[in-house]
Amino acid sequence: MIRVAIDGPAGVGKSSTSKALATYFSFAYLDTGAMYRACTWWCLHRGIDLDSAPVDEQLVTETVAEFFTEGHCTMDVDPAHPDVGVDGRNITEEIRSAEVSRHVSTVSAIIPVRHLLIAAQRAYIEQEASGDSFSHGAGIVAEGRDITTVVAPDAEVRVLLTAREDVRQARRSGQTSEGVGTDNVAARDKADSTVTSFLQAEDGVTTIDNSDLTFEQTLDRLIELVDGAIEEQQYRQYAQNLSGYALDEEDQRLVEAGGSDEQTGPMGPKAVGVLAVVGRPNVGKSTLVNRILGRRAAVVEDTPGVTRDRVSYEAEWAGTDFKLVDTGGWESDVEGIESAIAAQAQMAVRLADAVVLVVDGKVGLTATDERIVGMLRSAGKPVTLAVNKIDDFESEYAAAEFWKLGMGEPHAISAMHGRGVGDLLDAALDALRHAKKTSGFLTPSHLRRVALVGRPNVGKSSLLNQLAHEDRSVVNEIAGTTRDPVDEVVRVDGKDWLFIDTAGIKRRQHKLSGAEYYSSLRTEAAIERSELALVLFDASQPISDQDLKVMSQAVDAGRAIVLVFNKWDLMDDFDRQRLERLWETEFERVTWAQRVNLSAKTGWHTNRLTSAMSNALESWDQRVPTGKLNAFLGTIQAAHPHPLRGGKQPRILFATQASTRPPRFVVFATGFLEHGYRRFLERSLREEFGFEGSPMQISVNIREKKKR
């Protein structure tokens, strides 16, 4: 049984919210204030003068004792009709009169009277534990004075409901239309507080200030508290099933924790400067980026044109946070994919606050370097010049040649060995601090991270560009255009998401080399870093083993999944029927994932992605209360018990959701549960609780009874 005790001063809405709460859970309802009003009505009915000073407390006490012990009073605990009866007469409306309201504090202030009523209130509460009571043993909501501290100090839910005095007075004055006598709440508080404390919560009592809450919001807060108490009670009840079994330390941790996860609060975006690294192909831009970041984030190979997109990283130097943008090699008078790479580099310069121009000290000054300087001058951004590949002191003379560019002092560095990079960063960040604006933001930690994955040329970058409404990634018909994972904050349907565009995953990674091998490793890391994987397929082409491998990689990583069939506009009726047949065979492993058919090129049906992504992440975050989980599994086990094996039948003792993201369930059983039965449990859990779009893990701990 759940006992809910609600106390608080006059005018906070104790009665209305308590009745609504009891109705919601099918609990009994006890208005202890009505009991005091009924006693006051009885005293006035018996002709006792409650206006005299002092009041005859002994006479009042004897009259109240007679009222209860001789069965004159009856309290109906139905929240829909909480009637008060006296000798068969309904006095519910009469006890709300102005006369009773004016005298109730006089009666309730008499200590022996309070003792009599406290005993009566406890009796009403205790009788609800019986199966033949109004609530059939479910619980009771009792509200009124002393309820949380004296009457039911051990109640499962204890609440002090309060509000500002002006708010309470306004609410009290508005009750005249309901036939309730009005009074001054301050005077009422003063009179009642002579024998009880209800303005400050005692230890273990939850305070809810509803001054600025609606009735529904107050009720929702109370429902949350009761739901938690029910879950705790059910949890302890089902955990008792393990009392006779041997448990190790990990088992004890799971059982005692109840599967609770700690969530960190969100952080807002922080404005920072943006520093773009530009230069012609193969001068060492990505090597410099990795040196600044202190890790191998950008793909590096001794081949021109490895970096193609503009890729942003969050960096820090000497206590200063900034955005570092790596770009593809800039060239003039080029066509095809090289032209798209150059365009991305120019866009990076336009969006940056300051620029680091990297030139090759071994090759020397080139005509392309001079053309880049012309482009930078027209952009009007502050530029710091880095002469790379100056690996020793003797080679520093080569940097002097680059004074001719008119970009200020050439900084001799070796990005490979780190030589001179610190001095370069000092100069670049000084220029960044004096820039006209800070156009970047560190990625807010609360953004949901979505990885776009799939085999090469399925349209990942096209989809990112369509969602961002700009050419954010290089798109070309050449398979494998994307090399580095590209992070982009994109607002879709009014909500910001962090999308990670990845390189296409190859089927035989052990046969890859150079940039493609490192791109594949970066893609795997991007999947691990993400929360949701949008797995893209080219619907116009037959589904290949490579497609299914990519999908399995995302599922095995435990990420939420949405399957995206791109280029749907190129499909005819025959192709669609072919895909539906494949869905029933090749995709049997992920039938729980939502499928979105769209065209990244035209934008057709891309608006369906938001709800699919949100649903998948909600499932990924979902937790099933332990009590509800065990009640469901008990029903399932009774209807479909595990098959007999070797004359024994394994039995589920207890289950808990050990974690979320993805949901992981631990089942304690008396024997091994076969894989077929585990799949049955998974299907049943999905049918009951959803989990659409999220993989699910079920592990079984076999436990034997303790040895005597």
Side-chain angles (χ1 to χ4, degrees), residues 15-81:
S15 296
S16 54
T17 49
S18 296
K19 283 186 282 190
L21 184 66
T23 301
Y24 182 88
F25 287 102
S26 298
F27 286 178
Y29 164 70
L30 179 64
D31 182 357
T32 61
M35 296 178 74
Y36 282 101
R37 287 178 172 274
C39 292
T40 305
W41 181 92
W42 179 252
C43 290
L44 293 170
H45 182 69
R46 297 295 297 269
I48 297 177
D49 184 5
L50 297 178
D51 290 316
S52 61
V55 172
D56 190 340
E57 294 188 357
Q58 183 175 351
L59 177 60
V60 171
T61 303
E62 292 173 352
T63 304
V64 171
E66 171 198 352
F67 185 52
F68 283 104
T69 58
E70 295 185 8
H72 293 287
C73 178
T74 56
M75 300 290 297
D76 195 330
V77 293
D78 182 351
H81 305 285

Side-chain angles (χ1 to χ4, degrees), residues 10 37 101-102 104 169 172-173 180-188:
R37 287 178 172 274
S101 296
R102 187 162 51 86
V104 66
Q169 185 62 58
R172 202 66 167 175
S173 300
V180 179
T182 61
D183 49 16
N184 183 282
V185 294
R188 175 76 179 276

Side-chain angles (χ1 to χ4, degrees), residues 143-207:
E143 55 96 355
R145 296 286 181 266
D146 292 331
I147 200 71
T148 61
T149 54
V150 179
V151 181
D154 56 348
E156 285 72 20
V157 179
R158 296 188 294 158
V159 177
L160 176 67
L161 201 59
T162 187
R164 296 190 302 271
E165 184 178 309
D166 60 318
V167 174
R168 293 190 289 117
Q169 185 62 58
R171 291 173 181 170
R172 202 66 167 175
S173 300
Q175 290 179 332
T176 52
S177 60
E178 301 174 16
V180 179
T182 61
D183 49 16
N184 183 282
V185 294
R188 175 76 179 276
D189 292 345
K190 182 178 180 181
D192 289 352
S193 62
T194 58
V195 290
T196 184
S197 175
F198 51 83
L199 297 179
Q200 294 293 329
E202 300 287 336
D203 291 342
V205 178
T206 302
T207 300

Side-chain angles (χ1 to χ4, degrees), residues 217-487:
Q217 289 171 330
T218 303
L219 181 60
D220 287 342
R221 293 282 300 278
L222 291 169
I223 289 173
E224 288 177 9
L225 293 174
V226 177
D227 276 335
I230 293 173
E231 159 62 13
E232 177 69 19
Q233 198 170 80
Q234 290 179 339
Y235 166 75
R236 295 185 183 281
Q237 172 190 339
Y238 287 109
Q240 286 297 315
N241 293 338
L242 296 172
S243 59
Y245 290 81
L247 304 178
D248 57 26
E249 290 184 3
E250 177 63 18
D251 294 338
Q252 292 287 0
R253 187 192 66 78
L254 281 171
V255 174
E256 291 171 5
S260 60
D261 280 344
E262 292 186 4
Q263 303 290 342
T264 57
M267 290 176 57
K270 177 183 176 182
V272 293
V274 178
L275 185 65
V277 179
V278 300
R280 60 184 178 81
N282 212 36
V283 295
K285 297 182 296 299
S286 295
T287 304
L288 177 59
V289 166
N290 287 341
R291 175 63 60 183
I292 294 171
L293 296 175
R295 66 183 191 276
R296 290 187 175 182
V299 175
V300 175
E301 187 180 8
D302 191 18
T303 304
V306 172
T307 302
R308 291 171 172 174
D309 300 297
R310 66 183 196 275
V311 187
S312 297
Y313 303 99
E314 294 179 3
E316 181 269 337
W317 176 254
T320 301
D321 294 316
F322 60 99
K323 276 275 194 178
L324 186 66
V325 182
D326 189 16
T327 65
W330 188 91
E331 295 180 277
S332 61
D333 303 325
V334 288
E335 298 179 352
I337 190 169
E338 287 80 9
S339 175
I341 294 170
Q344 286 293 316
Q346 287 181 240
M347 187 176 294
V349 170
R350 189 169 69 250
L351 297 176
D353 299 313
V355 176
V356 172
L357 171 60
V358 183
V359 295
D360 191 331
K362 287 186 176 180
V363 174
L365 185 62
T366 68
T368 301
D369 292 328
E370 292 177 344
R371 290 192 184 99
I372 294 175
V373 168
M375 181 267 290
L376 293 176
R377 283 203 176 104
S378 64
K381 302 297 172 70
V383 178
T384 305
L385 180 60
V387 183
N388 193 23
K389 304 181 184 179
I390 307 297
D391 298 330
D392 50 48
F393 180 77
E394 290 76 14
S395 304
E396 284 198 3
Y397 72 89
E401 178 186 8
F402 292 91
W403 279 99
K404 297 177 183 178
L405 292 175
M407 290 284 105
E409 179 185 357
H411 295 268
I413 68 166
S414 172
M416 178 68 72
H417 304 110
R419 185 175 183 272
V421 173
D423 293 337
L424 171 70
L425 278 174
D426 288 339
L429 291 185
D430 183 63
L432 193 62
R433 279 189 288 270
H434 290 87
K436 294 181 179 179
K437 61 177 181 177
T438 54
S439 56
F441 290 91
L442 296 184
T443 304
S445 63
H446 68 281
L447 293 185
R448 307 313 297 254
R449 301 182 298 278
V450 183
L452 296 163
V453 298
R455 63 179 174 84
N457 212 33
V458 294
K460 300 181 292 295
S461 297
S462 296
L463 180 59
L464 177 60
N465 289 343
Q466 181 64 239
L467 295 173
H469 301 295
E470 64 170 305
D471 291 337
R472 183 58 185 84
S473 296
V474 173
V475 176
N476 193 276
E477 65 273 8
I478 301 173
T481 300
T482 301
R483 294 273 175 77
D484 299 281
V486 177
D487 289 12

Side-chain angles (χ1 to χ4, degrees), residues 448-453 497-500 526-535 554 558-564 592-594 609-618 620 692-695:
R448 307 313 297 254
R449 301 182 298 278
V450 183
L452 296 163
V453 298
W497 302 78
L498 178 64
F499 281 90
I500 309 167
I527 292 175
E528 292 293 336
R529 185 162 58 94
S530 69
E531 298 173 299
L532 167 70
L534 290 184
V535 185
R559 298 300 171 256
I561 302 291
V562 174
L563 304 180
V564 179
W592 40 263
Q594 190 166 342
L609 276 177
T610 307
S611 74
M613 293 189 300
S614 297
N615 290 340
L617 286 170
E618 285 176 11
W620 202 58
E692 182 183 25
S694 174

